[in-house]
Amino acid sequence: MNNRTLFVSIVGLCAAFFFFSSCGKKSPPFIPKEKFFLRVADLQGKWMGGSFHLRGRIEGPGAREGAGDSIQGGRVYFAVYPQDNLPCKDCPIAFQEYRIFGKEAIKGQTFYFRFPAPIEKRVYFFKVYLIGPEGVIGPPSNRIEIPETGSG
């Protein structure tokens, strides 16, 4: 094999590598979603008549100036544990499910949500995420723990 054939083979191999290693079809350009900073602060809850009543205040940049109007709804994540098998205070909680709420849970700078509790004699853990424009999810609220017959 002479030098010219070797050179052409290497160039051909490199060209084939670059041609076949391209990532394919490109997606159309898009504007990245903005970050959403509103959250539920000071989340509290109380067990009353078969359901939990969760309350908190809306906090974040522009919350006082009507940024709460940009809230589309949110999610209340929850976990349920038996009273005799609770995780430690600082242990992470595996939130199994969530309930979705709409704008009706937000009044001005206040969050209120009634959460029916189907399982008795358990301890519930809650945290709330607000959802802003275009489905952008904000930061979590504080985590609370409420026995089904007490308050948190």
Side-chain angles (χ1 to χ4, degrees):
M1 190 184 273
N2 64 19
N3 286 341
R4 181 180 165 116
T5 308
L6 182 62
F7 177 75
V8 170
S9 297
I10 290 174
V11 169
L13 205 62
C14 288
F17 174 76
F18 286 116
F19 178 75
F20 290 113
S21 67
S22 65
C23 62
K25 182 182 176 194
K26 304 289 185 203
S27 64
F30 67 96
I31 298 173
K33 291 183 179 179
E34 291 185 28
K35 294 194 179 214
F36 186 69
F37 295 105
L38 294 179
R39 67 185 283 267
V40 174
D42 300 325
L43 181 63
Q44 300 174 3
K46 191 180 288 188
W47 168 260
M48 292 189 323
S51 62
F52 293 102
H53 296 259
L54 305 175
R55 292 185 185 281
R57 62 183 171 74
I58 307 302
E59 170 183 274
R64 294 181 194 261
E65 291 81 39
D69 297 339
S70 65
I71 298 171
Q72 303 302 307
R75 295 178 182 171
V76 175
Y77 282 84
F78 66 97
V80 184
Y81 287 88
Q83 291 177 344
D84 60 351
N85 191 19
L86 295 177
C88 67
K89 270 292 192 212
D90 296 326
C91 291
I93 300 290
F95 288 93
Q96 295 103 353
E97 297 183 47
Y98 62 86
R99 293 284 189 316
I100 297 173
F101 60 87
K103 289 184 172 192
E104 71 281 351
I106 310 296
K107 300 281 189 250
Q109 291 180 277
T110 305
F111 163 77
Y112 175 79
F113 184 73
R114 188 175 158 267
F115 183 93
I119 303 173
E120 295 183 4
K121 303 205 191 263
R122 304 285 182 184
V123 176
Y124 285 71
F125 292 83
F126 295 98
K127 70 178 173 181
V128 177
Y129 288 86
L130 297 176
I131 298 176
E134 298 182 31
V136 179
I137 298 176
S141 69
N142 55 301
R143 180 179 87 182
I144 62 171
E145 169 186 341
I146 310 172
E148 57 89 26
T149 57
S151 62

